[in-house]
């Protein structure tokens, strides 16, 4: 047997650390009325995440030579124009993500220094947003100089955050035995309390869960490196789903011991932006070690947010602009590199677009509301890139015997096409429904941002076409 092949169990753990994080537990708990989210998690994993992960496996197996990029799957199955739009979508989604990382990094720094929510949340919003914008500009400069000193730190911070997410679950259950008199919340597991209310708020928040379980396409390059891919990969994905379900349920129960959903609903914005910090602060108090766990979590989160900020400015831009097939649709000015090899005009465009989101939020009442807005905006925009995964999968199965993946999700072509169409529909529906918000400003931001980014993606090929025609005319003159 090939010694370079990896075991299916190893792949399952690799995928788990890529897909899952503590923030997913918090957002699910806050947006879906406490332990009622357990019902939604189970449905989401069974009807969406498992087929999604297995489709990614088939795409990765069919196009193992293309490194697993979604735009390369679209290129192979459809053509260069749609491949450009797939690459553009992946990059455009990161515009909102970059804005949230700037804000998240400052929030984490505030908790590490002040160890409370009130200090940061009482700062004037315009002042916080101007500092956030300055942070963005600084890290754009770092990226423009080809300096990515935080890449290794991102890996370390990401690993430590993953470990702390698991430790949180273990430690909260252990705390009951060590400190049984602490201020735990009494949990009610009656059916009435577990089944959610299927109202407008429920359906317009589903994008939060789709956003949480997405991203497993990052592990697609490893499909053909697994021992016996046709059996090993689905085993690893099903194991991944089980691990995520267990962590989601246990994490939700752990949070249910700490926080009362009634209190969350009364101060929603504060819990969205501060809930994870309060969780580790309370956990430290249960163990009698004060704010130790809080400070560790806040520092890890700060490093993780800021290092991810640099990578998110640089990597998606390179994925789009380095692609030779996409370059025929991109104006020459955006392809300009500086002496450090960075796409300088592309980075300027990131600064303008992400900066605009940051500065517009200067008019939001309260810093906590800013982070709540960004969480919702990301849940609307980020899952849009998953639509291309399902588009590529449907095109792959329609191609019949043209491609020969070593692993197939299902043998029956009709079932495969229905599954691909279903996942596409769920993703699109959740993104559209997620736009709605009771706050008019948040709703406007959720509508305008994707529209502007989509329009820009459509305009650039037109500029490129005019540029080529102008050069041709000058050459013939």
């Amino acid at each position: 047997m090939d010694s370079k092949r990896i075991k299916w169990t190893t792949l399952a753990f690799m995928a788990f650390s890529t897909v899952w994080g503590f923030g997913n537990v918090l957002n699910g708990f806050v947006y879906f009325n406490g332990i009622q989210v357990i019902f939604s998690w189970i449905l989401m994993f069974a009807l969406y995440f498992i087929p999604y992960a297995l489709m990614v496996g088939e795409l990765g197996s069919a196009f193992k030579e293309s490194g697993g990029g979604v735009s390369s799957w679209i290129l192979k199955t459809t053509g260069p124009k749609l491949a450009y739009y797939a690459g553009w979508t992946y990059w455009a989604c990161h515009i909102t993500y970059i804005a949230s990382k700037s804000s998240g990094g400052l929030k984490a720094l505030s908790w590490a220094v002040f160890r409370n929510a009130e200090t940061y949340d009482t700062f004037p919003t315009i002042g916080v947003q101007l500092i956030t914008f300055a942070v963005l500009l600084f890290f754009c400069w770092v990226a423009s100089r080809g300096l990515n000193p935080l890449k290794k730190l991102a890996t370390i911070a990401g690993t430590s955050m993953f470990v702390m997410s698991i430790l949180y679950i273990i430690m909260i259950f252990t705390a009951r035995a060590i400190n049984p008199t602490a201020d735990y919340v009494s949990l009610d597991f009656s059916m009435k309390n577990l089944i959610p209310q299927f109202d407008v708020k429920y359906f317009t928040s589903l994008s939060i869960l789709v956003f949480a379980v997405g991203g497993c396409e990052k592990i697609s390059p490893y499909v053909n490196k697994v021992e016996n891919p046709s059996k090993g990969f689905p085993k690893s994905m099903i194991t991944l789903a089980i691990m995520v379900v267990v962590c989601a349920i246990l994490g939700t129960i752990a949070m249910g011991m700490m926080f009362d959903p009634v209190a969350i609903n009364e101060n929603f914005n504060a819990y969205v932006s501060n809930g994870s910090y309060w969780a580790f602060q309370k956990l430290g108090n249960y163990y009698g070690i004060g704010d130790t766990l809080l400070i560790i979590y806040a520092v890890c989160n700060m490093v993780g947010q800021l290092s991810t900020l640099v990578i998110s400015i640089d990597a998606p831009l390179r994925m789009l602009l380095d692609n030779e097939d996409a370059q025929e649709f991109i104006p020459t000015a955006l392809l300009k590199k500086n002496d450090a090899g960075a796409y300088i005009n592309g980075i300027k465009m990131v600064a303008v677009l992400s900066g605009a989101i940051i500065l517009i939020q200067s008019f939001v009442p309260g810093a906590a509301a800013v982070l709540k807005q960004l969480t919702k905006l990301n849940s609307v925009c980020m899952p849009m890139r998953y639509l291309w995964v399902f588009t590529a999968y449907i095109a792959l199965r329609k191609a019949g015997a043209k491609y020969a993946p070593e692993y197939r999700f299902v043998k029956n072509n009709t079932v495969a096409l229905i599954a691909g169409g279903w996942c596409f529909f769920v993703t699109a529906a959740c993104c559209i429904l997620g736009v709605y918000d009771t706050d008019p400003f948040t709703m406007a931001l959720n509508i305008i941002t994707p529209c502007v980014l989509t329009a820009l993606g459509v305009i650039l090929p037109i500029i490129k076409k005019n540029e080529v025609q102008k050069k041709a005319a000058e050459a013939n003159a």
Side-chain angles (χ1 to χ4, degrees):
M1 185 175 287
D2 189 346
S3 60
K4 291 183 180 179
R5 293 268 176 173
I6 60 176
K7 293 186 179 294
W8 65 268
T9 48
T10 304
L11 182 64
F13 280 104
M14 286 168 60
F16 183 51
S17 61
T18 300
V19 169
W20 199 244
F22 187 71
N24 298 332
V25 178
L26 171 72
N27 287 335
F29 187 86
V30 171
Y31 276 89
F32 289 86
N33 201 32
I35 60 173
Q36 285 185 1
V37 74
I38 292 172
F39 175 87
S40 304
W41 277 131
I42 292 171
L43 276 186
M44 185 60 68
F45 289 122
L47 300 178
Y48 182 81
F49 178 67
I50 292 176
Y52 167 32
L54 296 177
M55 286 177 213
V56 164
E58 186 172 338
L59 284 162
S61 181
F63 308 114
K64 54 190 173 186
E65 76 288 344
S66 57
V70 177
S71 56
S72 64
W73 297 342
I74 292 291
L75 175 66
K76 298 280 186 182
T77 55
T78 57
K81 187 68 177 283
L82 285 183
Y84 155 75
Y85 283 119
W88 174 265
T89 305
Y90 185 83
W91 173 81
C93 288
H94 279 81
I95 293 298
T96 59
Y97 192 64
I98 287 165
S100 70
K101 290 300 158 189
S102 302
S103 295
L106 281 183
K107 180 71 175 179
L109 175 61
S110 170
W111 267 98
V113 175
F114 302 113
R115 291 180 283 173
N116 64 66
E118 292 73 27
T119 304
Y120 182 84
D121 292 346
T122 52
F123 288 147
T125 312
I126 189 165
V128 171
Q129 293 308 102
L130 286 173
I131 294 170
T132 305
F133 181 58
V135 168
L136 170 67
L137 293 180
F138 172 74
F139 283 106
C140 280
W141 173 81
V142 171
S144 74
R145 299 315 306 158
L147 304 171
N148 289 325
L150 298 179
K151 279 190 176 180
K152 288 184 179 178
L153 279 177
T155 305
I156 296 168
T159 305
S160 62
M161 289 287 285
F162 170 68
V163 169
M164 290 197 77
S165 300
I166 304 300
L167 279 178
Y168 171 78
I169 295 171
I170 296 169
M171 291 180 75
I172 186 64
F173 288 109
T174 309
R176 292 295 292 260
I178 295 171
N179 188 3
T181 59
D183 58 335
Y184 304 106
V185 175
S186 179
L187 290 172
D188 177 11
F189 287 105
S190 64
M191 286 299 290
K192 181 184 176 183
N193 202 43
L194 285 174
I195 303 299
Q197 288 185 324
F198 298 104
D199 53 12
V200 172
K201 181 178 179 291
Y202 179 85
F203 288 106
T204 56
S205 298
L206 282 175
S207 58
I208 296 285
L209 301 188
V210 171
F211 179 34
V213 300
C216 64
E217 62 272 10
K218 292 174 186 174
I219 54 123
S220 60
Y222 301 100
V223 176
N224 292 290
K225 295 178 183 177
V226 184
E227 293 175 358
N228 191 2
S230 61
K231 292 183 179 178
F233 186 80
K235 271 172 146 178
S236 63
M237 290 300 99
I238 290 166
T239 304
L240 161 67
I242 292 169
M243 287 194 294
V244 173
V245 167
V246 169
C247 279
I249 292 172
L250 292 180
T252 299
I253 293 170
M255 285 216 156
M257 293 179 187
M258 285 186 167
F259 304 120
D260 183 353
V262 174
I264 290 174
N265 290 329
E266 288 174 355
N267 203 2
F268 188 79
N269 289 352
Y271 274 92
V272 171
S273 60
N274 300 299
S276 58
Y277 301 101
W278 280 330
F280 279 95
Q281 190 173 46
K282 276 197 169 192
L283 190 61
N285 291 334
Y286 291 159
Y287 279 85
I289 55 174
D291 290 339
T292 304
L293 291 175
L294 163 66
I295 294 168
I296 293 170
Y297 174 78
V299 170
C300 289
N301 198 16
M302 180 188 69
V303 175
Q305 297 269 2
L306 296 180
S307 52
T308 302
L309 173 59
V310 175
I311 295 167
S312 297
I313 292 168
D314 183 60
L317 191 62
R318 288 186 183 276
M319 286 179 67
L320 175 66
L321 302 183
D322 279 346
N323 188 335
E324 291 182 4
D325 296 294
Q327 287 180 3
E328 65 176 288
F329 304 104
I330 296 170
T332 307
L334 280 180
L335 301 174
K336 180 185 175 183
K337 289 185 178 181
N338 63 9
D339 55 357
Y343 288 103
I344 186 64
N345 289 332
I347 291 172
K348 287 177 183 176
M349 188 162 67
V350 170
V352 169
L353 294 172
S354 292
I357 294 172
I358 290 169
L359 293 177
I360 285 170
Q361 289 183 303
S362 298
F363 304 101
V364 174
V370 169
L371 287 166
K372 179 252 182 182
Q373 274 190 353
L374 289 171
T375 299
K376 197 70 190 292
L377 182 60
N378 271 319
S379 78
V380 170
C381 294
M382 289 297 277
M384 288 180 180
R385 60 193 170 135
Y386 311 149
L387 292 171
W388 291 107
V389 174
F390 306 123
T391 301
Y393 184 73
I394 292 168
L396 170 68
R397 294 308 294 244
K398 280 188 172 180
K402 184 178 178 182
Y403 306 101
E406 194 174 344
Y407 157 73
R408 280 195 180 274
F409 163 36
V410 286
K411 290 182 180 178
N412 188 290
N413 218 40
T414 304
V415 173
L417 289 171
I418 290 171
W422 164 254
C423 287
F424 185 98
F425 167 76
V426 170
T427 308
C430 288
C431 287
I432 293 167
L433 289 170
V435 166
Y436 175 78
D437 198 277
T438 52
D439 174 45
F441 187 90
T442 302
M443 188 166 171
L445 196 63
N446 290 346
I447 294 171
I448 294 168
T449 304
C451 286
V452 168
L453 292 172
T454 301
L456 191 56
V458 172
I459 290 167
L460 290 186
I462 297 171
I463 295 172
K464 179 69 172 186
K465 185 179 178 182
N466 291 337
E467 189 180 278
V468 171
Q469 288 175 345
K470 186 178 178 182
K471 283 184 179 178
E474 288 174 355
N476 294 329

